[in-house]
Amino acid sequence: MNTKQEEVSRVVTLGEEGRQGLLTGVQKLAVAVKSTLGPAGQTVLIESINSIAGNFATKDGVSVADEFFLSDPVENIGAQLAKQASKKTEKTADDGTTTSIVLMEALMIRGNEMIKAGRSKNIVLNELRKFTEMASEKLLSMSSEVTSDIILSTAITSVNNDVATGKMIADLYNEMGNDAIVEVMDSKSDETYSEKIEGLRLARGYSSELFVNKEKSMTREMSDVRILITDTEINKADDILRILEEFVINPQAPAAKLQSLLIIADCSSQFEGTMLTNYERKIIDICIVPAPANGYRKKELLNDLAIATGSVYFSELKGDNLDLMNLEDLGHADNVLVKKNYTTISISKDKKPVVNEKIEALKGLVELEESKEGSGSKKFLLERIANLQGRIGVIYAGGKTRTEKKELYDRIVDGIGGVRSAIKEGVLPGGGVALASLATDVSWAGKIKTKEQQIAMKILTDAIAVPLMQILDNAGITFEESYGTMRATQGEIFNGSLTESGQGYNVVTGEFGNMVEMGVADPTLVTRSALENSVSVAITLLGTNCIITYERI
């Protein structure tokens, strides 16, 4: 008997044919995604096996890209690598996925046209990378610091010019401060509203992505949550069996058990696997978050958390036995939001007095540490106080249908992400103006010494003008109707003075002026990340000469 695994045939695609296939894949993805760009971006309807309703509508570029797969293997590789650029941008800046793909397509088109096969290709691509780094630094130098008005305009822009939703996001940040924690959750009704709640943040996220119930934001939302806190490792289900039995969902009456269980503890892979299996089978609504920090810091942080949630902290150092834990030992939170790297827990109003008492006690300890120069303990105490004092803003996304609610939810995620990015690095003139203005920046001329540098610069400057043109196209506005009078020559978008002033055309109002002052601003971090990531992947694709795929039957 031949037990050797049957080898799968491969197809090799070489040279220009392969690069053209990659470009076609990128273009097909871009056609679907770029229609969502800008304040006049259009809705995309998607049939999805990942959606409970079977289909959904969205103006969110990354949601469109997530559902995008092509039957042609070479084209699909191009599309999937373009998605990587957008995903990395979202991970870095919480927004900018559509801009990444628009730039990616433009870079691929111009690169394929201008880069000829031969010894200079790698040199051109290396120069393109260098010029991109310079452009990114230029964007950072153009950045304006955020104000309350800029936070408002950034939020509105990031939610596709939905003024009411953008204002809701901005109001939370402007009322609670730029370091506020703002999250989004599903509304229990049709209404969309915001709430400021007392809460704290734990610097640990879910132990496995399989606990996620919101794929767009990769978060786990939990309501009416009981919380188990311990520094003892949980090795198997029997360790806390009497607790788990309280949360088993009755299949005959699944709505009877409304409470969820959050375990904050270090757990073995065996226990985690058992809980994941039971969660996926809807036997128990549970999530595991590893205990924060190490050593004495772990003990203190868990103790703070226990006080804030009304939990009994079971500690190995005190000889506490998990077998003796009962339901009354668990804490409670109205809402919990768990992400990859942190967990946000609301604090009930009835717990506030005891939390304030703890804060005052910690302040007393800080005074004792004042005389100890460079005291690490003092810094840690201040961190604990800040966390216990934390205020959390939550926006509840509503809608009459599941499709409407998801579409709004996705836009609020983008809006919050846009404001966060703006706070980090400031903002740039929006509407594609910041990138396009670099295309005719006269300072580039002194950097070009060779033919390869000239080609690389041409690829970059042509590509970075495309987002502006796409925003105009989505709004049904021609270039002549908007920027025509400002064009110096047929091949230029702006004249030199515009580069410095940050002026542009507001497609919403039809006015021409300073984009930031008109409330049209893009977070600097978003724009820079989109540029850097799109160029990085474009260089990989443009430098490809051989593609090996599985043969399709």
Side-chain angles (χ1 to χ4, degrees):
M1 180 178 176
N2 185 8
T3 58
K4 183 178 179 180
Q5 183 178 2
E6 184 179 350
E7 294 184 2
V8 179
S9 297
R10 304 295 185 99
V11 177
V12 178
T13 310
L14 299 172
E16 182 61 27
E17 179 186 358
R19 286 190 294 276
Q20 187 58 48
L22 295 173
L23 172 59
T24 301
V26 173
Q27 287 179 305
K28 288 182 177 179
L29 173 63
V31 167
V33 171
K34 65 187 180 184
S35 64
T36 68
L37 185 65
Q42 305 299 302
T43 298
V44 176
L45 286 173
I46 300 173
E47 181 182 38
S48 172
I49 60 173
N50 298 317
S51 173
I52 296 175
N55 55 74
F56 64 92
T58 184
K59 290 182 181 179
D60 176 55
V62 72
S63 295
V64 177
D66 279 343
E67 301 291 338
F68 201 89
F69 298 92
L70 298 170
S71 57
D72 183 282
V74 176
E75 292 179 5
N76 192 53
I77 288 176
Q80 299 312 310
L81 287 175
K83 284 166 62 173
Q84 284 186 17
S86 66
K87 282 287 190 182
K88 188 172 181 182
T89 300
E90 183 190 37
K91 184 177 180 180
T92 303
D94 293 316
D95 199 4
T97 53
T98 302
T99 302
S100 294
I101 292 174
V102 170
L103 286 170
M104 179 84 172
E105 180 193 27
L107 289 162
M108 288 291 293
I109 291 173
R110 296 302 286 147
N112 263 359
E113 290 173 353
M114 300 192 68
I115 297 178
K116 304 300 181 182
R119 63 178 180 83
S120 66
K121 177 193 287 188
N122 288 340
I123 299 176
V124 171
L125 295 179
N126 283 333
E127 294 297 338
L128 177 58
R129 182 180 287 107
K130 292 177 183 177
F131 283 134
T132 300
E133 292 172 356
M134 293 168 57
S136 181
E137 289 301 315
K138 284 177 177 288
L139 289 170
L140 190 59
S141 68
M142 293 163 55
S143 186
S144 302
E145 292 185 4
V146 294
T147 62
S148 58
D149 288 340
I150 286 178
I151 287 177
L152 174 60
S153 63
T154 301
I156 292 173
T157 300
S158 298
V159 293
N160 280 78
N161 215 46
D162 181 342
V163 176
T165 303
K167 187 175 185 303
M168 193 176 294
I169 295 170
D171 285 347
L172 286 174
Y173 277 102
N174 288 332
E175 290 174 21
M176 301 169 64
N178 288 352
D179 57 349
I181 300 168
V182 179
E183 305 288 0
V184 58
M185 297 184 74
D186 276 333
S187 174
K188 302 298 183 183
S189 66
D190 296 350
E191 182 185 1
T192 299
Y193 61 97
S194 64
E195 181 183 14
K196 294 185 286 291
I197 58 177
E198 302 296 336
L200 53 81
R201 176 166 285 186
L202 187 65
R204 285 289 189 275
Y206 40 69
S207 60
S208 170
E209 291 184 354
L210 296 177
F211 285 119
V212 165
N213 62 2
K214 293 292 178 183
E215 291 188 7
K216 154 67 180 172
S217 53
M218 287 303 290
T219 60
R220 172 65 185 279
E221 288 186 11
M222 306 175 76
S223 300
D224 192 15
V225 189
R226 300 305 298 270
I227 303 173
L228 185 159
I229 300 174
T230 180
D231 59 21
T232 303
E233 183 178 30
I234 302 175
N235 292 306
K236 56 186 184 301
D238 286 347
D239 292 348
I240 56 169
L241 186 59
R242 62 192 300 179
I243 294 296
L244 295 176
E245 288 176 341
E246 295 286 343
F247 292 88
V248 173
I249 298 172
N250 182 354
Q252 304 302 320
K257 285 286 185 181
L258 298 178
Q259 289 189 311
S260 305
L261 176 61
L262 175 66
I263 295 178
I264 301 176
D266 295 321
C267 302
S268 69
S269 57
Q270 176 188 347
F271 176 78
E272 181 182 311
T274 301
M275 294 302 101
L276 279 170
T277 299
N278 282 276
Y279 171 64
E280 291 174 345
R281 293 178 179 176
K282 302 188 184 303
I283 295 173
I284 185 170
D285 190 16
I286 191 171
C287 185
I288 297 173
V289 173
N294 294 295
Y296 85 95
R297 287 175 176 251
K298 175 192 289 188
K299 174 182 174 296
E300 298 296 346
L301 290 173
L302 289 178
N303 188 56
D304 290 347
L305 186 59
I307 290 172
T309 59
S311 308
V312 174
Y313 168 33
F314 273 65
S315 173
E316 192 173 31
L317 296 175
K318 297 188 298 181
D320 292 334
N321 189 345
L322 293 179
D323 289 337
L324 302 178
M325 183 181 290
N326 55 51
L327 195 60
E328 288 69 33
D329 295 322
L330 304 186
H332 179 267
D334 292 330
N335 295 293
V336 173
L337 194 68
V338 190
K339 292 198 172 186
K340 182 178 181 180
N341 297 315
Y342 63 85
T343 300
T344 304
I345 302 173
S346 64
I347 298 177
S348 302
K349 291 183 178 180
D350 62 333
K351 303 295 190 304
K352 195 59 183 174
V354 70
V355 170
N356 288 335
E357 186 178 329
K358 180 65 177 180
I359 289 172
E360 292 303 315
L362 291 174
K363 287 179 178 179
L365 293 176
V366 169
E367 294 178 3
L368 294 176
E369 295 289 332
E370 292 289 350
S371 60
K372 302 178 183 178
E373 187 175 348
S375 172
S377 296
K378 176 185 174 182
K379 182 180 178 181
F380 181 51
L381 288 168
L382 291 174
E383 290 174 357
R384 290 170 62 192
I385 291 171
N387 197 34
L388 287 169
Q389 287 178 328
R391 294 180 63 84
I392 300 169
V394 179
I395 297 175
Y396 297 90
K400 295 186 181 301
T401 64
R402 189 184 299 275
T403 299
E404 181 184 354
K405 184 177 290 188
K406 184 183 187 309
E407 190 274 334
L408 177 59
Y409 184 103
D410 289 347
R411 287 193 290 113
I412 293 174
V413 169
D414 287 342
I416 293 170
V419 172
R420 286 175 181 163
S421 294
I423 289 169
K424 287 179 183 177
E425 289 190 354
V427 296
L428 293 165
V433 169
L435 282 172
S437 65
L438 292 182
T440 53
D441 189 335
V442 294
S443 67
W444 288 119
K447 310 293 182 182
I448 300 174
K449 309 290 185 185
T450 67
K451 181 67 174 177
E452 287 80 10
Q453 288 178 333
Q454 184 179 359
I455 293 171
M457 178 56 66
K458 183 64 174 172
I459 293 170
L460 180 63
T461 53
D462 283 359
I464 59 181
V466 171
L468 178 144
M469 305 299 287
Q470 186 62 51
I471 289 171
L472 292 177
D473 186 60
N474 286 351
I477 300 171
T478 67
F479 182 78
E480 291 298 336
E481 291 172 329
S482 52
Y483 291 94
T485 58
M486 299 301 295
R487 184 170 55 181
T489 68
Q490 184 66 27
E492 294 177 346
I493 300 295
F494 297 116
N495 59 26
S497 64
L498 202 58
T499 301
E500 298 176 0
S501 65
Q503 295 187 44
Y505 184 81
N506 185 336
V507 300
V508 176
T509 64
E511 298 174 326
F512 195 93
N514 184 290
M515 296 297 274
V516 174
E517 291 179 1
M518 289 191 296
V520 184
D522 289 331
T524 305
L525 180 60
V526 170
T527 305
R528 294 202 310 127
S529 298
L531 175 62
E532 292 170 1
N533 294 326
S534 60
V535 170
S536 176
V537 176
I539 286 174
T540 298
L541 295 182
L542 291 170
T544 297
N545 198 51
C546 178
I547 304 165
I548 302 174
T549 58
Y550 291 112
E551 184 175 24
R552 265 55 167 183
I553 299 176

